[in-house]
Amino acid sequence: MMSQSRGSVSFEPLFTAEDLGCARRQCRTRDESFITLGEGVASRWIEMPKGVLLLQSVPDDPASGAIYLYDRELKVFYFVVFDEGRDDSLTAAEFDDLVTEYNLVSWTAHPALLQRAVGKPGMA
């Protein structure tokens, strides 16, 4: 049996699109709200019909990324958390590896499954 490199993965609900001020208008592809979470920019982006997975990084600091998943139907942003190792200082290459290793595209394609894993989102 193989264990995953960073232990198990979980998804912490952070905030809604409404919290970011884009509830009245649809948060769309590459919407300003997506790429300006804090001071970061989306250095990697995987878009699916029901979700978006992105690596948010500080400009000019390639080892500063964190992974977020956006549920388009519920308009909820999740922080992707790993039990072992760092999850907020990732490089683009680490993102690519983790997407494959943890099958994060599957969660992005079906973010409704997150509701079973984390329950109804309670924003911080």
Side-chain angles (χ1 to χ4, degrees):
M1 175 181 261
M2 289 185 64
S3 63
Q4 293 174 304
S5 66
R6 294 180 191 240
S8 60
V9 65
S10 60
F11 302 84
E12 293 182 11
L14 292 177
F15 41 79
T16 66
E18 181 177 332
D19 295 335
L20 293 176
C22 63
R24 289 199 173 105
R25 59 184 168 78
Q26 175 107 10
C27 280
R28 290 184 293 268
T29 307
R30 299 285 182 166
D31 185 287
E32 186 75 10
S33 301
F34 279 73
I35 58 176
T36 58
L37 298 173
E39 296 179 9
V41 296
S43 54
R44 287 285 194 270
W45 185 278
I46 299 172
E47 187 172 345
M48 306 293 284
K50 294 182 180 181
V52 178
L53 187 71
L54 61 108
L55 177 68
Q56 180 86 3
S57 301
V58 174
D60 302 320
D61 186 355
S64 64
I67 303 173
Y68 297 90
L69 190 149
Y70 178 65
D71 180 332
R72 290 178 150 171
E73 292 178 347
L74 295 179
K75 297 182 176 19
V76 174
F77 287 87
Y78 295 89
F79 179 53
V80 179
V81 179
F82 299 96
D83 285 345
E84 299 173 16
R86 49 191 220 296
D87 48 29
D88 61 355
S89 57
L90 302 170
T91 65
E94 289 172 314
F95 171 83
D96 295 341
D97 291 342
L98 292 169
V99 165
T100 301
E101 180 180 0
Y102 285 86
N103 195 17
L104 296 178
V105 171
S106 177
W107 290 104
T108 306
H110 306 287
L113 296 174
L114 294 174
Q115 295 313 298
R116 292 186 206 140
V118 300
K120 189 166 180 94
M123 300 323 119

